[in-house]
Amino acid sequence: YIQNYLDEFCYRLNRRYFGEKLFDRLVIASVQPYWQSSV
C-alpha cells in the first residue's frame, strides 16, 4: 500500500504547484528526452 500512497501524494503535490500549467508541463516532460537526444 505504500507505493499507492506515495503515488497519490506526488499526484496531489504536482497538481497543487502546477495547477493550470499541468498539461504544459506534461508535454514538455514527454518531449524533452527526444529533443535532447537529437541535438
Side-chain angles (χ1 to χ4, degrees), residues 1 3 6 8 10 14 17 23 25-26 28-30 33-36:
Y1 295 113
Q3 186 62 50
L6 292 175
E8 183 72 19
C10 290
N14 287 334
Y17 285 126
F23 181 74
R25 179 69 182 115
L26 178 64
I28 291 170
S30 63
Y34 298 109
W35 183 74
Q36 286 181 348

Side-chain angles (χ1 to χ4, degrees), residues 15-39:
R15 293 224 7 133
R16 180 173 13 146
Y17 285 126
F18 291 119
E20 60 193 34
K21 297 180 182 180
L22 188 62
F23 181 74
D24 295 337
R25 179 69 182 115
L26 178 64
V27 171
I28 291 170
S30 63
V31 172
Q32 189 174 10
Y34 298 109
W35 183 74
Q36 286 181 348
S37 64
S38 65
V39 171

